[in-house]
Amino acid sequence: MSRVEVTLPDDLSDRIDRLVEQGEFLNRQKAMEELLSMGVSTYDTTDEPGQELDDGLFNQKVEEQQDPALRDNVEGDDPPY
């Protein structure tokens, strides 16, 4: 395991201490490990460069998106409203 020294602003350090005191984390070290891990994971991208995201609701181009209220209508039918 690596050992790293970090300097934090007082307000951030106090917030971490409060989380430990409130029982959110076992101790300060575990709090720092988990909080840093969560922060780093938000920046993680795919393991392989060039790997495409799965087609899904949030990856559709605007022109491919469909109004959910219209999804049962056949193309050319009037909307239900």
Side-chain angles (χ1 to χ4, degrees):
M1 187 177 286
S2 296
R3 186 172 192 92
V4 178
E5 185 176 327
V6 178
T7 303
L8 300 173
D10 290 338
D11 63 324
L12 184 56
S13 179
D14 293 343
R15 289 172 63 190
I16 292 169
D17 288 339
R18 275 195 301 276
L19 290 170
V20 173
E21 290 169 7
Q22 293 170 354
E24 295 293 327
F25 301 99
L26 184 61
N27 56 42
R28 188 174 173 85
Q29 179 179 340
K30 293 293 183 189
M32 296 295 293
E33 287 176 12
E34 189 168 336
L35 292 169
L36 284 169
S37 178
M38 290 168 47
V40 169
S41 69
T42 62
Y43 288 96
D44 271 348
T45 57
T46 57
D47 291 336
E48 299 176 23
Q51 183 179 1
E52 298 279 331
L53 294 174
D54 292 336
D55 285 338
L57 176 63
F58 298 107
N59 298 331
Q60 294 177 342
K61 296 177 186 172
V62 172
E63 60 269 10
E64 295 172 353
Q65 294 178 3
Q66 184 180 15
D67 184 348
L70 300 176
R71 69 174 174 225
D72 293 332
N73 290 350
V74 177
E75 193 171 314
D77 285 352
D78 290 332
Y81 45 86

